[in-house]
Amino acid sequence: MAADHTNAAKDLAFSETWLKLLHYERSVWSPTGWVSAIQQGNFFLSAHGSSDPAAELEALVQSLSVEAPTGDDHPRCRFPARSRWVEQQLGLESVFEPASVCPRFSSWAKQGQIASVSLVYATGYLGNPASYYGHTLLKFNGLEEQAGETNLLDATLNFGAIVDGNDDPVSYIIKGVTGGYAAAFSHVEFYFHNHNYGENELRDLWEYRLNLPQTAVTLLVEHSWEVLGQKYTYYFFRRNCAYRMGELLELVEGIDVIPKRIPWTIPQALIQAMGQVVVQGGPLIAAVRYYPSRQSRFYARYGELSPDEQVVLSELVLNQYGLDDSRFTALHLEARQRLLDALLDYSRFVSLMEDSKNRQESMLYQDSLAERFRLPSGTDEIKSRQPISPHQGRPAGWAQLAWATHDQLGSMTLLRLRPAYYDPIDAGSGHVANAALSMADLQLVVDEGQVRLHKLYAIAIESVQPGISGLPSDRGRAWKIRVGIEQASGACIDCPIFRIQGDYGIGHQWVPSLFTAVYLGGAVQSESGEAGWGFGRLSSDAIFRVDDRLSARLALEYRYGFGGSRSSDWVNRSEVRWLLGERTDLRLSYERDDGEILGVGFGVYW
């Protein structure tokens, strides 16, 4: 390589693109002020490359002086994106295309036949702390995707923590928050994720095909190859899957999707940012495709059955008669097709439940499948309305200013900050309906010029299954966990205690606008006078959703205290939410727990 090229390369060492390609981050511990998030030696050509951008660039420039490739280990094959970029910046003519002469890369990149890139979002899953906020990955679409076909063999790029299978959820959260896990990019065909998320974990998938020029597609494909298998430090809240996927997208000029003003990266926030990006005069998101989970498909098919057909489905599931019975065979063709399609989805759905893996349900699936093959194909179209795409939803953060009156303490102002994510009456697309998930939910009381802590929940989760059909294994299991500080009772605003609460119950979606649940649970707490060290309780919830703008929740519980002077108590909480605009809402609330508080609050999503 000529000396003038080497000198010119030095000017590129701290350019924005070079820093992104090597994943350099600011560091006060590095003499250069930079250190790469990737610490493995095989990601660098220079011995000092992990902390010296100039040394790494110089090493690459020198390696490019080798005119012909020497196999897959040649720098142009190992690092096709950074090699191409350096050659373009220095005005050099590339001596070969990696997709044509690097066997391993060429095979992975489909011999250069990748037409577009999609970002895939898997909705949240409350059964695993790693998946509370959803997950993102990249999908590389073959040429047939242009015609709208789904290619389950398309390659995907996934990023995740490398976890110890023996870690419990608490250990996972602690390690994930503190950087106790390594993480890496991996690749597998799309069918694996489609099956794992949609069939095993019952999570909906959303695919966002991106409007990118072919040069940008090539850049993302080549750089994805460079980072495969490279080790990072994983952080649950910030440098997670959404952050690393955002980093890849931001290699393309004009794309800025990683939230910069908040210290966490939530997958849905990344997708919402993508919805605001304009590339080449058009939106970054070119097309959206929805992949409903097995559960979503079953519920949609169940909703298309008439009441009489739902009764027949229940009788077939309960084995009151078989598919050869005249009560089934006498139905018209379309009804039998609908019932068999629903039976097939139901059988696969319930086979995932812990208490339902038995021979009877396996035979039901086999018999239904055989009978369905005997009938004409019909249509596989599900007529229910597709949910609103998560990229069109509201932001994850929420802040509220409320005015309240207490029957004993008078008027006060309440401030609330919920950084993420949702509660039962504002859950939207991409969230678990009628459920709740929040962390660091802070509520303050401003009274007579003083600011007091009212509540602070480190974590609050409410997980529900809607139990729409009421069939076996679809009974609507529900549970709650809440850890944090709250007032010992509603009669005071300056008696905070620490509580760990848990409940288990069942729920049911009676109609689209009404969900109810009953729970048995309790709490342990730091002892405070008459409050004692804990309580048991029986509680119930009713959640009303009139439409996308108006919803309400009524909660009633009976508590029996332990260790205190007060043996029992009734607690009532009610809240009504009215969505004013895309990012604002108005809430009316009522709470009775020794004292009564009535409030009205204005909320902003951010």
Side-chain angles (χ1 to χ4, degrees), residues 297-342:
R297 292 198 300 273
F298 167 61
Y299 285 156
R301 293 193 191 281
Y302 185 81
E304 291 180 356
L305 300 177
S306 69
D308 289 341
E309 290 169 351
Q310 290 178 356
V311 172
V312 173
L313 180 69
S314 176
E315 291 170 343
L316 290 170
V317 168
L318 296 175
N319 204 31
Q320 295 183 8
Y321 52 84
L323 296 174
D324 56 351
D325 191 279
S326 61
R327 284 168 287 187
F328 176 77
T329 59
L331 297 173
H332 60 80
L333 175 62
E334 291 80 5
R336 283 179 285 153
Q337 289 173 328
R338 286 195 298 270
L339 281 164
L340 289 170
D341 289 340

Side-chain angles (χ1 to χ4, degrees), residues 519-587:
Y519 298 89
L520 182 64
V524 292
Q525 61 194 25
S526 56
E527 191 168 356
S528 177
E530 65 178 14
W533 57 264
F535 56 82
R537 68 179 164 206
L538 178 66
S539 61
S540 64
D541 283 351
I543 299 170
F544 305 89
R545 192 173 297 275
V546 178
D547 53 33
D548 292 337
R549 305 184 67 85
L550 183 62
S551 54
R553 180 184 194 180
L554 305 178
L556 180 66
E557 63 181 77
Y558 174 77
R559 294 181 178 178
Y560 187 86
F562 303 116
S565 59
R566 186 174 56 191
S567 61
S568 63
D569 192 18
W570 286 93
V571 178
N572 177 25
R573 295 185 178 92
S574 305
E575 189 173 25
V576 178
R577 174 184 181 259
W578 180 31
L579 183 65
L580 299 176
E582 290 185 2
R583 299 195 172 200
T584 56
D585 68 8
L586 184 70
R587 300 196 186 203

Side-chain angles (χ1 to χ4, degrees), residues 120 122 125 137 150-153 156 188-205 291-295 297 348-349 351-352 365:
V120 178
Y125 173 56
L137 54 101
T150 300
N151 189 346
L152 294 177
L153 295 179
T156 64
V188 71
E189 286 78 9
F190 178 61
Y191 75 83
F192 172 84
H193 296 297
N194 186 52
H195 181 80
N196 183 53
Y197 294 131
E199 302 294 325
N200 293 341
E201 296 184 353
L202 304 178
R203 300 162 67 178
D204 293 340
L205 292 177
Y291 300 84
S293 69
R294 180 69 70 174
Q295 181 184 46
R297 292 198 300 273
R348 294 296 87 191
F349 160 52
S351 69
L352 302 170
Y365 176 77

Side-chain angles (χ1 to χ4, degrees), residues 11-231:
D11 298 331
L12 301 175
F14 295 95
S15 66
E16 183 178 9
T17 300
W18 180 250
L19 295 174
K20 287 181 178 180
L21 283 169
L22 276 295
H23 295 256
Y24 287 115
E25 300 173 345
R26 291 282 187 182
S27 173
V28 297
W29 307 110
S30 171
T32 65
W34 298 94
V35 66
S36 177
I38 299 174
Q39 295 300 309
Q40 277 186 289
N42 63 4
F43 190 67
F44 307 97
L45 294 172
S46 167
H48 306 289
S50 65
S51 59
D52 192 336
E56 181 61 23
L57 186 55
E58 181 180 355
L60 178 61
V61 170
Q62 292 297 328
S63 74
L64 294 179
S65 63
V66 178
E67 293 297 334
T70 56
D72 284 307
D73 290 332
H74 188 278
R76 283 190 178 92
C77 293
R78 291 170 56 195
F79 310 119
R82 72 177 81 160
S83 297
R84 185 187 299 276
W85 180 80
V86 167
E87 289 171 338
Q88 291 172 345
Q89 299 305 306
L90 298 180
L92 301 175
E93 182 179 351
S94 180
V95 292
F96 71 94
E97 280 293 323
S100 62
V101 297
C102 303
R104 289 201 300 266
F105 171 73
S106 180
S107 175
W108 183 79
K110 306 295 184 183
Q111 291 76 43
Q113 298 301 301
I114 293 176
S116 63
V117 176
S118 297
L119 186 135
V120 178
Y121 170 61
T123 57
Y125 173 56
L126 296 182
N128 182 352
S131 305
Y132 283 166
Y133 293 99
H135 186 66
T136 55
L137 54 101
L138 290 185
K139 177 173 175 284
F140 301 110
N141 308 316
L143 293 175
E144 61 271 23
E145 291 285 339
Q146 301 261 349
E149 298 296 327
T150 300
N151 189 346
L152 294 177
L153 295 179
D154 281 340
T156 64
L157 186 73
N158 187 42
F159 181 85
I162 303 172
V163 301
D164 183 345
N166 297 321
D167 282 348
D168 59 83
V170 175
S171 298
Y172 175 84
I173 292 175
I174 293 174
K175 289 184 179 180
V177 170
T178 60
Y181 288 117
F185 283 99
S186 60
H187 71 106
V188 71
E189 286 78 9
F190 178 61
Y191 75 83
F192 172 84
H193 296 297
N194 186 52
H195 181 80
N196 183 53
Y197 294 131
E199 302 294 325
N200 293 341
E201 296 184 353
L202 304 178
R203 300 162 67 178
D204 293 340
L205 292 177
W206 293 86
E207 179 184 352
Y208 298 91
R209 185 164 59 82
L210 306 181
N211 173 33
L212 296 174
Q214 190 58 46
T215 53
V217 172
T218 299
L219 173 64
L220 290 177
V221 171
E222 291 182 346
H223 185 60
S224 296
W225 173 255
E226 295 175 346
V227 298
L228 272 177
Q230 303 297 340
K231 297 289 183 62

Side-chain angles (χ1 to χ4, degrees), residues 346-358:
Y346 168 76
S347 299
R348 294 296 87 191
F349 160 52
V350 302
S351 69
L352 302 170
M353 304 301 171
E354 295 179 355
D355 59 353
S356 64
K357 295 178 181 178
N358 57 52

